[in-house]
Amino acid sequence: MEEMEEELKCPVCGSFYREPIILPCSHNLCQACARNILVQTPESESPQSRRASGSGVSDYDYLDLDKMSLYSEADSGYGSYGGFASAPTTPCQKSPNGVRVFPPAMPPPPTHLSPALASVPRNSCITCPQCHRSLILDDRGLRGFPKNRVLEGVIDRYQQSKAAALKCQLCEKAPKEATVMCEQCDVFYCDPCRLRCHPPRGPLAKHRLVPPAQGRVSRRLSPRKVSTCTDHELENHSMYCVQCKMPVCYQCLEEGKHSSHEVKALGAMWKLHKSQLSQALNGLSDRAKEAKEFLVQLRNMVQQIQENSVEFEACLVAQCDALIDALNRRKAQLLARVNKEHEHKLKVVRDQISHCTVKLRQTTGLMEYCLEVIKENDPSGFLQISDALIRRVHLTEDQWGKGTLTPRMTTDFDLSLDNSPLLQSIHQLDFVQVKVAWFAFDPGSAHSDIIFSNDNLTVTCSSYDDRVVLGKTGFSKGVHYWELTIDRYDNHPDPAFGVARMDVMKDVMLGKDDKAWAMYVDNNRSWFMHNNSHTNRTEGGITKGATIGVLLDLNRKTLTFFINDEQQGPIAFENMEGLFFPAVSLNRNVQVTLHTGLPVPDFYSSRASIA
């Protein structure tokens, strides 16, 4: 159950949730942490005043319009709400989990309101530290958000499962570990003390003895608090509003807030959503099983690559030793190239093992958390989070889609030595064919705002404006394929991927001038762009962990793009002639890692051979 622990920790404080509340975006926060990240907005800019003036924009829509202004242009660690003319600039910090959060603004002036209302300033705004959606609080303040009783129960069980072993309460000197607990006596016994003080005869024979862990739960757990309506705190939830997707009380139905909505029995909806979550977990469980088998396959590939490398090196040495002494100098160069491919193959496979392990751990943690939630007997609390959990389970299952469980590297070495040339041609000795090329990003030609790491294979940017970086290697013939993985993706930016000439503009999005051919993509769709002309809008976007593939076929003079091993739209560009460099444009909300030395995808090779 340790993999579930990150599901139980607050994104702000990094500790287990304490009195968690559910935000409208379905994310959770500690009640104290939510109070700490409140930001006060000016009266004239509140959604209430905007609605009074006829605007009709919802609380979320209003703040989403200016979500990009939450962060400053310079990397100073400060941010402000640009949509509020008089809002103070608030220092920006990061929580222990690495999530950007905003501390509270300066304390409000003294007020004559009651202490309960004065605790949250009027027109306070809270921004979810996970999805960055913002909301203006109403007069109820944080009391308007429902409490997540189910999450509290899961955390309680999790913490008790990790607690130290219980000791006997009757041992006189060094207490021994308890083996049973009597529910009637409410005492933990070791075996000797149980036989001496609690013999199984007479009236004691009717007492019920249970394992210590079970006794600890029944002893320590207080009765679960019944969830009450956030609008009517004295009323318990009794029905479920299908349209609003939330439990409601009898008074909500009487007062007309949900009178025209379809409502159903709380217990029936509880059972229905539990069934839906269980069915969704079955599919995710199959994906997790496939992922475990895939990890075994990848680890076997590491061993196979090492064995093939040793075998190939031995063959190469034997061939070179059969030649004249002049071959020895060339032999060292060829061995170096074999070792380079060996190390690259290992790196690609190990990177994929690491990526798949992290994703599997997150999937397992979500599964364990959902299973614990299913055990809950609180219909109201369960229904408050069930929709979000079902969506998360389906989304996680989709992330294990086609291509995720396919090795990115083969175990074979695509090298063969031709030892037929005459001795006078030994100095030209080389491998017959190298199918792949290795390259990194080029710091020398990149915009100054580009930030490099990981031996120039990983890049991000210090600016909110798009900046361009090129690869070190240019291509004028042959078929070339490389991939870029999305390491970080915040606030739905539009990174662009493609190829460019050396003299492309570096301070605008790739494809704005006639020196670049690119695909730019957000979280929902993509477009192709060249010379500032946008074409072929295609549904399907990117998220953190997505893979962008770029295929430059100079034999057929085409450029094609892929997202997660699926072709994105038609062939993007044709009649590609000349020298092209791999290129990317991004801003500070994106970080990508380049993967080169990859073979052309099998399905494209077979398609090209048929054509």
Side-chain angles (χ1 to χ4, degrees):
M1 293 178 63
E2 293 182 357
E3 295 173 329
M4 182 178 64
E5 185 166 313
E6 58 188 77
E7 293 276 347
L8 310 180
K9 289 186 176 181
C10 174
V12 176
C13 64
S15 302
F16 287 110
Y17 286 104
R18 288 166 293 187
E19 297 184 334
I21 60 175
I22 308 175
L23 300 181
C25 58
S26 300
H27 292 127
N28 299 285
L29 284 178
C30 298
Q31 191 168 24
C33 294
R35 187 176 302 277
N36 287 338
I37 63 173
L38 289 177
V39 175
Q40 188 173 6
T41 65
E43 177 73 22
S44 61
E45 296 293 337
S46 69
Q48 290 86 348
S49 62
R50 290 174 64 90
R51 284 194 291 266
S53 64
S55 172
V57 179
S58 70
D59 295 353
Y60 266 123
D61 293 338
Y62 165 67
L63 286 174
D64 279 346
L65 295 177
D66 269 327
K67 65 182 178 181
M68 289 303 295
S69 63
L70 288 171
Y71 310 104
S72 62
E73 289 296 328
D75 193 16
S76 60
Y78 284 80
S80 63
Y81 286 89
F84 307 137
S86 59
T89 299
T90 306
C92 176
Q93 302 175 348
K94 284 190 176 181
S95 75
N97 287 351
V99 178
R100 190 186 293 261
V101 298
F102 291 86
M106 296 298 292
T111 178
H112 299 292
L113 297 175
S114 65
L117 294 177
S119 60
V120 175
R122 184 177 178 83
N123 295 331
S124 292
C125 162
I126 187 170
T127 299
C128 175
Q130 291 181 279
C131 66
H132 307 299
R133 294 182 66 185
S134 301
L135 177 69
I136 297 292
L137 274 62
D138 58 22
D139 292 338
R140 295 174 299 170
L142 296 177
R143 290 183 290 106
F145 297 124
K147 295 183 179 180
N148 196 336
R149 302 295 188 192
V150 173
L151 181 56
E152 284 184 309
V154 174
I155 292 173
D156 200 359
R157 289 199 301 270
Y158 178 77
Q159 290 179 318
Q160 292 198 18
S161 70
K162 300 187 68 175
L166 293 170
K167 301 295 183 181
C168 176
Q169 295 176 283
L170 297 182
C171 290
E172 295 182 355
K173 295 183 179 180
K176 298 180 181 178
E177 184 174 339
T179 56
V180 295
M181 176 203 172
C182 176
E183 289 187 334
Q184 286 71 30
C185 301
D186 195 22
V187 175
F188 290 95
Y189 298 94
C190 64
D191 285 335
C193 291
R194 176 179 58 82
L195 295 175
R196 185 177 69 254
C197 304
H198 199 286
R201 60 181 180 271
L204 297 179
K206 298 181 180 180
H207 286 199
R208 183 168 181 259
L209 302 180
V210 297
Q214 181 180 341
R216 173 173 54 196
V217 172
S218 61
R219 184 180 189 183
R220 294 187 180 180
L221 280 182
S222 59
R224 183 62 49 79
K225 299 177 182 178
V226 178
S227 297
T228 58
C229 179
T230 55
D231 293 326
H232 312 97
E233 296 182 355
L234 298 180
E235 296 289 337
N236 294 336
H237 291 137
S238 58
M239 299 294 288
Y240 181 81
C241 178
V242 177
Q243 181 173 336
C244 300
K245 295 185 178 180
M246 61 181 294
V248 296
C249 69
Y250 177 77
Q251 195 169 347
C252 288
L253 300 177
E254 285 293 313
E255 293 181 352
K257 184 176 181 180
H258 299 273
S259 60
S260 61
H261 297 174
E262 180 186 359
V263 295
K264 292 188 177 181
L266 199 65
M269 292 303 296
W270 172 45
K271 293 180 180 179
L272 175 62
H273 281 225
K274 273 199 172 186
S275 174
Q276 291 175 348
L277 182 56
S278 298
Q279 292 175 4
L281 279 175
N282 289 335
L284 187 59
S285 176
D286 293 339
R287 291 293 185 181
K289 182 179 179 181
E290 293 175 7
K292 291 178 181 179
E293 297 173 351
F294 180 60
L295 283 173
V296 173
Q297 178 186 355
L298 291 177
R299 294 189 178 101
N300 292 336
M301 286 181 63
V302 171
Q303 179 65 27
Q304 188 64 44
I305 289 174
Q306 292 172 333
E307 293 175 357
N308 288 353
S309 174
V310 173
E311 180 181 351
F312 189 86
E313 289 181 16
C315 179
L316 180 63
V317 170
Q319 288 178 326
C320 290
D321 288 344
L323 301 176
I324 61 176
D325 293 341
L327 285 173
N328 290 330
R329 293 187 297 271
R330 189 62 175 169
K331 178 178 65 176
Q333 298 175 6
L334 297 176
L335 284 173
R337 291 178 61 180
V338 172
N339 286 329
K340 184 176 180 180
E341 181 168 359
H342 166 219
E343 294 299 326
H344 172 70
K345 285 179 177 288
L346 291 179
K347 184 178 185 303
V348 170
V349 176
R350 285 169 175 163
D351 287 347
Q352 194 172 8
I353 289 176
S354 176
H355 176 74
C356 190
T357 300
V358 171
K359 184 177 290 188
L360 177 61
R361 185 177 67 250
Q362 294 172 345
T363 300
T364 304
L366 176 58
M367 291 170 55
E368 292 177 351
Y369 173 55
C370 291
L371 290 174
E372 290 298 322
V373 169
I374 290 176
K375 296 177 183 177
E376 285 298 312
N377 295 321
D378 178 2
S380 173
F382 179 85
L383 290 173
Q384 288 176 338
I385 64 172
S386 58
D387 280 309
L389 282 179
I390 292 170
R391 289 194 301 269
R392 286 186 60 192
V393 168
H394 284 305
L395 178 61
T396 304
E397 181 182 1
D398 292 340
Q399 290 176 351
W400 289 104
K402 181 179 179 181
T404 306
L405 303 182
T406 302
R408 296 177 180 170
M409 182 57 64
T410 64
T411 60
D412 297 327
F413 283 71
D414 297 318
L415 304 169
S416 60
L417 186 64
D418 183 4
N419 58 1
S420 61
L422 299 175
L423 292 179
Q424 62 267 28
S425 301
I426 288 179
H427 68 282
Q428 298 176 347
L429 187 64
D430 198 354
F431 292 109
V432 172
Q433 184 179 15
V434 179
K435 292 187 177 181
V436 295
W438 294 274
F439 61 90
F441 289 115
D442 183 16
S445 62
H447 192 279
S448 59
D449 289 339
I450 296 293
I451 301 173
F452 295 84
S453 60
N454 188 26
D455 295 328
N456 298 333
L457 292 175
T458 300
V459 293
T460 185
C461 182
S462 62
S463 172
Y464 279 113
D465 295 323
D466 290 302
R467 305 301 190 212
V468 173
V469 57
L470 301 180
K472 276 192 172 182
T473 302
F475 304 109
S476 60
K477 60 182 180 179
V479 182
H480 308 279
Y481 178 75
W482 61 94
E483 292 181 345
L484 302 105
T485 53
I486 309 298
D487 303 327
R488 179 168 51 80
Y489 187 76
D490 302 327
N491 300 317
H492 311 313
D494 304 312
F497 310 88
V499 296
R501 309 292 190 192
M502 179 59 74
D503 56 345
V504 65
M505 294 173 63
K506 306 296 196 315
D507 56 354
V508 296
M509 178 186 286
L510 196 68
K512 286 285 187 179
D513 62 2
D514 62 351
K515 308 293 186 187
W517 296 257
M519 174 187 74
Y520 70 94
V521 58
D522 60 16
N523 60 314
N524 291 319
R525 59 193 66 86
S526 66
W527 294 262
F528 302 145
M529 184 164 64
H530 170 64
N531 200 18
N532 205 26
S533 174
H534 310 250
T535 60
N536 293 101
R537 167 175 161 168
T538 304
E539 295 301 317
I542 59 174
T543 59
K544 178 181 177 182
T547 300
I548 306 297
V550 183
L551 179 60
L552 178 62
D553 187 347
L554 293 173
N555 295 337
R556 303 171 68 184
K557 302 178 181 180
T558 60
L559 180 63
T560 310
F561 295 98
F562 302 84
I563 296 182
N564 296 330
D565 299 320
E566 294 285 346
Q567 184 170 328
Q568 185 73 356
I571 293 175
F573 301 101
E574 298 180 326
N575 301 318
M576 303 288 291
E577 294 182 318
L579 180 63
F580 301 96
F581 290 84
V584 175
S585 70
L586 43 69
N587 65 15
R588 66 184 301 167
N589 288 316
V590 185
Q591 177 175 297
V592 301
T593 295
L594 176 66
H595 302 277
T596 63
L598 304 178
V600 175
D602 293 337
F603 65 87
Y604 183 84
S605 300
S606 59
R607 185 192 309 168
S609 61
I610 294 175

